[in-house]
Amino acid sequence: LGISSSRAPLQFAVMTTPGTVSAAWMSLTSLETEGWGEVIGCINPQSWAAMGIGLSIGLSVVGAAWGILLTGASLVGASVKAPRIRSKNLISIIFCEAVAIYGVIMSIILINKYSSGGDKSVIECDAITTEMYFAGYGIFWAGVTVGLSNLFCGVCVGITGSGCALAHAQQESMFVKMLIVEIFGSALGLFGVIVGIIMSTDTAFP
């Protein structure tokens, strides 16, 4: 593909079949003056919505897995010397798993808005309406908000759960006190879900 750099209509040569080259002309768009904003703005808003839904559940699962990794390693190691801590500290694993459930719930809410309408055959930038932009970006950022909040929530619960297992192995009375810290840490993911629901309230595709 050979392209000539000129301010006039852009000329390029395309090899259609082996050994055959045909010339074509392409008019310059506003990409030269508006930059990458033109490229991003012409992406179908439903693609943004799909990425937001994927990030919502994907980052939430990563956060849950990370938290279980941190908590589980400490729990298994500490239970070798103090087997009594095994049953009580399983609640830390449950808190970490709840982070993934938050992402699943939010993804179900967002996918209903994603499939509520919209023209899936839109390929022209001029055919994208303001309502579609609002819905696409709203669902995308709602998914990112929920995904990141659950990611950090899972790490938070995992670290506090690890400390809870180690503290409980040393002293029995420390379990309830550390459990309160875990509950407050787990609430952070729920806050993210609430904010995501508020952000996506009026984001259904027209």
Side-chain angles (χ1 to χ4, degrees):
L1 178 63
I3 300 177
S4 63
S5 59
S6 62
R7 305 299 296 182
L10 188 64
Q11 183 180 14
F12 58 95
V14 181
M15 180 175 290
T16 55
T17 58
T20 304
V21 178
S22 61
W25 292 85
M26 181 177 66
S27 299
L28 291 176
T29 65
S30 56
L31 176 61
E32 284 192 343
T33 57
E34 298 186 12
W36 286 103
E38 178 74 10
V39 176
I40 297 174
C42 286
I43 297 177
N44 194 322
Q46 288 189 325
S47 299
W48 289 108
M51 284 190 291
I53 295 170
L55 289 172
S56 173
I57 187 171
L59 293 176
S60 298
V61 170
V62 170
W66 201 341
I68 293 174
L69 172 66
L70 295 171
T71 303
S74 298
L75 176 58
V76 172
S79 63
V80 173
K81 289 293 185 180
R84 58 183 172 78
I85 71 170
R86 288 176 299 182
S87 57
K88 284 186 177 181
N89 283 273
L90 287 177
I91 194 170
S92 300
I93 306 296
I94 296 174
F95 281 146
C96 292
E97 190 66 27
V99 173
I101 296 175
Y102 293 157
V104 172
I105 293 173
M106 194 63 205
S107 297
I108 293 173
I109 295 173
L110 295 178
I111 197 69
N112 289 330
K113 297 178 180 295
Y114 175 79
S115 60
S116 62
D119 186 4
K120 298 177 176 59
S121 63
V122 171
I123 57 175
E124 296 293 335
C125 187
D126 295 337
I128 302 176
T129 62
T130 305
E131 291 78 10
M132 293 181 66
Y133 276 125
F134 181 82
Y137 292 153
I139 294 175
F140 173 76
W141 286 112
V144 171
T145 300
V146 173
L148 289 178
S149 64
N150 285 334
L151 173 62
F152 295 124
C153 175
V155 175
C156 173
V157 174
I159 293 174
T160 54
S162 174
C164 180
L166 296 176
H168 188 206
Q170 294 293 326
Q171 190 174 350
E172 180 73 24
S173 62
M174 288 295 296
F175 176 75
V176 177
K177 299 174 183 178
M178 292 296 295
L179 184 62
I180 295 175
V181 178
E182 281 191 70
I183 292 173
F184 281 108
S186 180
L188 297 176
L190 189 58
F191 294 157
V193 172
I194 294 172
V195 172
I197 292 174
I198 295 173
M199 292 174 64
S200 62
T201 299
D202 299 321
T203 57
F205 280 93

